């Protein structure tokens, strides 16, 4: 399936109505659709009468849910229709002629019901604008008189406050982290978002098979299909078809009552941007660098006007390999979940908050860490699910280390990271400190195989702070495969750099950030009670994770990218961080999953193994290295092989291992961004419509 429109930090898109929706402006009470999530008690008669197996087909799961809904409706005097199931006791139910809150109150009184919550809609945390291809350098002649200009680069990855980088305080020091590890292809990061454009050249080979959840909470409806915008329901195609909203959409009312004229916009390509920040290919002579070398698991939960809690919760569970009735099991379990989405609500012990608390506990129990954007409420409180415990909630910083005006804040924030800010505020002036990432230049539907980058457009928001931290957690997991969520949170906090207290640069006298209140707070000096423990430090966090492990093994791949069917791949296990008296004595290599293209290794020895994929596909290998004291260090690698290139009807195998992706780019753009990439990596070379940030924001 192709994509829904992004959530703002906690998402939920308008889902299908059981009956065709009338235009929003003319919708009558009788046509109002109530949508709730109901969890039955384990001992409820309707649950005991027929158990719902996680191995049930989608049709079987729906039949069980509808049987329970019908019985509940008879007891409460309300005709109910069922969607599909979040788990064996939790279902999305619909009714007409009343609001979701009214239906929730009525059903909550039933003795068989354990929990009921309105199925809210959430949106991504991008501050949206038209996706435009941006240049690498902002020239003075492109700005109005008095405006500033500078070279646009990935400032947020660099070392902070160096002799050549005196203006930037909040950057994360990625190059020093890459000197420890460039990341591991065995680390899977789920992007719970709008889907992705997998055909972007700088994301080639960076994905494992994902899923489109949009409409999962419903059996089928015109509204769900309209929100999804790809012509179908939930399926194994998480590609993003575009999430634009037009005046015609609003007038037709097909997107449901949760979509208004405020949502009218071009396509955001939000999930693609987030994916690029995390794992865009590096050392491939193209565009930009991601935080690390990982695999992205695209889980599409947002479409036009956002996405529903039910689809988001199902997507979170599926991403870590938890069985969902009527769905295939995810074989590529995520170690990190990035959720650049959200909405209003508290994370209490009842209703929607309870549902999120429960799914967060389930995800954490698998060893995965959840990273959530704090939101773009301009200094108001963090929304749901970022205000839940046991997640990493990320606020956004300006380049000088102050809270950027759009970012939410509060005691729920774990850490802060760069979120982009513009400085220039005049018409047609470029954004000087954007979060550069991959995108698509289509304003509605996508441009196929587009190699567009956000460049100097005002691409800012906590949506882009969160993936920076997700990438850092991925680097931590690369040196500590058993990293838990509690460990990740503790390390991020203990290694954070202190917030600045002077030198804001834009606002002459910004205030100290205060606890959230009913009025906005623009740029302010962060405190540990409002913006988390401090400014995230990638290098210190990765070093701390490695020290906690007492050493680790990394796997390097040659060729590093661009592997094709029939080509030999050499894998090398390298020990890092071992005590001085320890060395690797042996390595056992295992094909964990051959993906139909690999059955065994061509050769193995103490540190290396070779393998030749027979066709295009993705396979997983594991290295178990034992040191001279008998301690075993484990690392995995997930490798994607493309179909062999053909020339004149014959198959050819490329010999250049440095290439990655395709697509034509201008020579100027390529040269400028290649120079920027070199500046980012002095040694290792590892690899929305943001409202323009106004002065003081």
């Amino acid at each position: 399936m192709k994509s829904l429109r992004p959530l703002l930090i906690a998402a939920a898109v308008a889902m299908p109505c059981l009956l065709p929706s009338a235009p929003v402006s003319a919708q009558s009470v009788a046509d109002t659709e109530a949508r709730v999530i109901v969890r039955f008690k384990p001992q409820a008669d309707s649950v005991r009468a027929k158990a719902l197996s996680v191995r049930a087909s989608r049709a079987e799961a729906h039949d069980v849910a509808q049987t329970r809904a019908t019985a509940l409706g008879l007891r409460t005097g309300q005709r109910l229709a069922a969607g599909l199931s979040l788990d064996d006791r939790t279902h999305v139910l619909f009714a007409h002629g009343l609001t979701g809150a009214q239906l929730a109150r009525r059903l909550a009184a039933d003795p068989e019901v354990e929990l009921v919550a309105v199925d809210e809609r959430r949106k991504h945390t991008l501050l949206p604008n038209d996706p435009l291809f941006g240049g690498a350098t902002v020239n003075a002649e492109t700005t109005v008189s008095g405006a500033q200009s500078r070279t646009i680069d990935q400032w947020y990855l660099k070392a902070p406050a160096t002799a050549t980088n005196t203006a930037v305080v909040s950057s994360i020091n990625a190059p020093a982290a890459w000197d420890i590890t460039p990341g591991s292809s065995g680390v899977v990061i789920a992007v719970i978002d709008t889907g992705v454009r997998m055909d972007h050249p700088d994301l080639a080979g960076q994905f494992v098979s994902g899923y489109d959840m949009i409409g999962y909470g419903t059996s089928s409806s015109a509204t769900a299909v309209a929100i999804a915008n790809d012509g179908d329901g939930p399926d194994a195609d998480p590609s993003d078809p575009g999430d634009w909203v037009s005046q015609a959409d609003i007038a037709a009312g097909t997107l449901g009552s949760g979509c208004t004229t405020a949502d009218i916009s071009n396509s955001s390509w939000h999930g693609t941007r987030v994916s690029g920040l995390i794992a865009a290919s590096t050392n491939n002579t193209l565009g930009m660098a991601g935080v690390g070398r990982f695999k992205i698991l695209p889980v599409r939960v947002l479409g036009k006007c956002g996405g529903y809690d039910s689809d988001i919760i199902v997507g979170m569970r599926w991403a870590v390999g938890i069985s969902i009735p009527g769905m295939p099991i995810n074989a590529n379990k995520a170690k990190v979940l990035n959720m650049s989405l959200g909405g209003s609500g508290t994370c209490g012990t009842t209703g929607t908050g309870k549902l999120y608390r429960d799914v967060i506990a389930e995800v954490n129990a698998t060893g995965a860490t959840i990273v959530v954007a704090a939101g773009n409420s301009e200094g108001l409180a963090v929304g749901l699910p970022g205000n839940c415990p046991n997640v990493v909630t990320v606020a956004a910083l300006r380049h000088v280390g102050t809270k950027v005006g759009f970012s939410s804040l509060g005691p729920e924030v774990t850490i802060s990271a760069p979120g982009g800010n513009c400085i220039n505020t005049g018409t047609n002036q470029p954004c000087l400190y954007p979060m550069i990432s991959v995108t698509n230049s289509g304003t509605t539907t996508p441009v196929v195989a587009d190699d567009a980058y956000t460049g100097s457009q005002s691409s800012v928001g906590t949506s882009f702070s969160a993936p920076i931290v997700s990438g850092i957690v991925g680097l931590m997991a690369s040196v500590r495969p058993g990293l838990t969520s509690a460990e990740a949170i503790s390390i991020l906090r203990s290694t954070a750099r202190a917030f600045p207290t002077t030198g804001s640069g834009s606002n002459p006298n910004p205030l100290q950030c205060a606890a959230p209140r009913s009025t906005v707070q623009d740029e302010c000096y962060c405190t540990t009670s409002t913006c988390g423990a401090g400014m995230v430090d990638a290098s210190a966090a990765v070093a701390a994770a490695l020290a906690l492990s007492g050493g680790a093994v990394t796997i390097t791949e040659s060729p590093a990218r661009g592997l094709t069917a029939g080509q030999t791949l050499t894998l090398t296990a390298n020990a890092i961080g071992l005590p001085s008296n320890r060395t690797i004595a042996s390595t056992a290599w295992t094909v964990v999953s051959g993906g139909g293209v690999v059955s065994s290794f061509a050769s193995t020895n103490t540190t290396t193994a070779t393998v030749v994929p027979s066709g295009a596909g993705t396979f997983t290998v594991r290295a178990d290295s034992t040191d001279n004291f008998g301690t075993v260090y484990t690392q995995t690698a997930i490798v994607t092989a493309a179909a062999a290139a053909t020339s004149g009807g014959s198959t050819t195998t490329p010999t250049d291992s440095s290439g990655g992706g395709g697509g034509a780019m201008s020579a100027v753009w390529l040269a400028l961004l290649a120079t920027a990439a070199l500046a980012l990596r002095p040694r290792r070379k590892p690899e929305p419509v943001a409202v323009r940030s106004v002065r003081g924001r």
Side-chain angles (χ1 to χ4, degrees):
M1 188 171 173
K2 288 111 204 141
S3 136
L4 237 171
R5 122 157 261 122
L7 288 178
L8 262 169
I9 289 191
V13 173
M15 292 274 70
C17 297
L18 297 177
L19 299 175
S21 299
V24 173
S25 58
Q27 195 171 39
S28 67
V29 174
D31 289 331
T32 300
E33 179 189 65
R35 178 188 176 111
V36 298
I37 302 172
V38 173
R39 176 176 292 165
F40 289 90
K41 295 175 181 177
Q43 69 275 22
D45 288 343
S46 57
V47 172
R48 297 169 61 189
K50 185 172 180 59
L52 176 56
S53 170
V54 294
R55 294 182 296 276
S57 68
R58 188 172 297 175
E60 291 169 337
H62 179 261
D63 287 346
V64 171
Q66 185 58 60
T67 298
R68 294 174 182 176
T70 299
L72 177 60
L74 290 172
R75 294 194 301 272
T76 58
Q78 181 67 54
R79 184 177 180 180
L80 299 173
L84 298 184
S85 306
L86 281 67
D87 58 40
D88 61 339
R89 295 187 289 118
T90 309
H91 318 284
V92 179
L93 304 183
F94 304 87
H96 284 268
L98 71 173
T99 67
Q102 290 170 334
L103 180 60
R105 286 194 295 270
R106 180 176 296 185
L107 301 186
D110 187 85
E112 290 199 3
V113 171
E114 176 182 302
L115 176 154
V116 60
V118 178
D119 195 7
E120 301 282 2
R121 192 187 292 224
R122 311 204 177 268
K123 301 178 182 181
H124 58 60
T125 46
L126 167 73
L127 296 173
N129 77 346
D130 300 351
L132 302 174
F133 186 85
T137 301
V138 178
N139 298 315
E141 57 267 28
T142 66
T143 67
V144 299
S145 177
Q148 301 182 52
S149 63
R150 64 181 290 274
T151 297
I152 298 300
D153 59 8
Q154 290 184 269
W155 59 273
Y156 46 87
L157 294 182
K158 295 183 178 182
T162 65
T164 59
N165 189 26
T166 56
V168 176
V169 174
S170 63
S171 51
I172 68 171
N173 200 13
W178 294 332
D179 283 339
I180 302 171
T181 177
S184 168
S185 64
V187 172
V188 176
I189 299 181
V191 174
I192 314 290
D193 215 293
T194 63
V196 293
R197 291 307 307 168
M198 288 177 278
D199 57 354
H200 193 290
D202 222 353
L203 292 174
Q206 300 300 91
F207 297 102
V208 293
S209 299
Y211 212 83
D212 181 355
M213 302 290 169
I214 296 174
Y216 184 79
T218 65
S219 54
S220 176
S221 83
T223 301
V225 173
I227 290 169
N229 197 34
D230 61 358
D232 55 26
D235 58 25
D237 179 8
S239 58
D240 187 347
D243 59 3
W244 77 95
V245 177
S246 67
Q247 181 61 53
D249 290 326
I250 304 301
T254 55
L255 296 175
S257 58
C259 197
T260 69
T261 55
D263 294 296
I264 294 174
S265 66
N266 289 339
S267 290
S268 67
W269 313 115
H270 191 264
T272 300
R273 295 190 191 192
V274 167
S275 298
L277 287 166
I278 295 171
S281 296
T282 308
N283 288 343
N284 65 341
T285 72
L286 286 182
M288 62 171 289
V291 173
R293 182 169 64 95
F294 314 115
K295 292 295 184 183
I296 296 294
L297 174 71
V299 182
R300 186 169 180 250
V301 299
L302 303 177
K304 289 187 176 233
C305 290
Y308 282 113
D309 286 323
S310 53
D311 290 342
I312 295 165
I313 290 169
V314 166
M316 294 170 69
R317 299 183 80 236
W318 183 85
V320 293
I322 297 173
S323 297
I324 310 293
M327 288 192 65
I329 294 176
N330 170 31
N332 299 299
K333 299 178 182 179
K335 186 66 177 175
V336 184
L337 276 62
N338 186 91
M339 300 179 64
S340 291
L341 54 81
S344 62
T346 59
C347 197
T349 56
T350 60
T352 306
K354 170 65 171 171
L355 291 171
Y356 273 106
R357 281 176 178 260
D358 288 350
V359 71
I360 288 166
E362 286 186 286
V363 169
N364 288 346
T366 69
T369 299
I370 303 168
V371 180
V372 186
N376 298 332
S377 66
E378 199 173 347
L380 301 183
V382 176
L384 190 69
N387 55 16
C388 290
N390 302 314
V391 300
V392 178
T393 301
V394 187
L397 299 174
R398 302 177 72 250
H399 66 295
V400 293
T402 50
K403 183 194 83 71
V404 67
F406 55 73
S407 179
S408 303
L409 49 66
E412 302 89 353
V413 175
T414 308
I415 199 80
S416 288
N421 56 281
C422 294
I423 298 181
N424 283 345
T425 60
T427 302
N428 296 324
Q429 291 180 0
C431 183
L432 297 188
Y433 290 94
M435 303 296 287
I436 294 175
S437 190
V438 300
T439 187
N440 191 281
S441 57
T443 56
T444 53
T445 58
V447 175
V448 176
D450 194 13
D451 59 359
Y453 295 80
T454 56
S456 61
Q457 69 172 294
S458 48
S459 181
V460 302
T462 57
S463 273
F464 306 134
S465 303
I468 295 297
V469 175
S470 291
I472 293 172
V473 175
L475 292 174
M476 293 159 62
S478 297
V479 298
R480 183 168 175 77
L483 182 76
T484 66
S485 177
E487 288 174 345
I489 292 171
S490 176
I491 290 172
L492 289 170
R493 285 174 169 161
S494 65
T495 59
R497 292 182 290 112
F499 294 117
T501 56
T502 61
S504 98
S506 64
N507 188 332
N509 297 296
L511 300 173
Q512 185 178 79
C513 298
R517 49 194 182 227
S518 59
T519 56
V520 301
Q521 296 184 70
D522 290 329
E523 181 187 9
C524 54
Y525 285 118
C526 283
T527 68
T528 54
S529 63
T530 55
C531 306
M535 299 183 291
V536 71
D537 188 321
S539 175
V542 175
L546 179 59
L548 188 62
S549 291
V553 164
T554 64
I555 298 176
T556 58
E557 305 164 22
S558 180
R561 62 186 51 78
L563 179 70
T564 58
Q567 187 177 13
T568 298
L569 174 70
T570 301
L571 303 161
T572 304
N574 304 293
I576 58 172
L578 268 60
S580 58
N581 62 338
R582 292 179 180 249
T583 58
I584 296 300
S586 64
T587 299
W589 293 90
T590 304
V591 176
V592 178
S593 172
V597 297
V598 168
S599 59
S600 62
F601 292 100
S603 66
T604 61
N605 59 35
T606 303
T607 58
T608 65
T610 60
V611 63
V612 182
S614 60
T618 298
F619 57 96
T620 303
V621 300
R622 185 181 72 238
D624 296 297
S625 297
T626 305
D627 69 16
N628 53 323
F629 284 81
T631 301
V632 178
Y633 309 87
T634 297
Q635 187 60 269
T636 59
I638 300 175
V639 183
T640 299
T646 58
S647 178
S650 61
T651 300
T652 61
T653 301
T655 57
D656 179 7
S657 64
S658 65
M665 302 183 70
S666 75
V668 173
W669 171 254
L670 181 58
L672 288 168
L673 279 179
T675 301
L678 287 173
L680 281 172
R681 292 182 231 18
R683 288 172 285 185
R684 183 152 313 205
K685 300 184 183 176
E687 203 71 334
V689 179
V691 204
R692 197 172 289 276
S693 182
V694 298
R695 184 175 183 81
R697 294 181 66 187

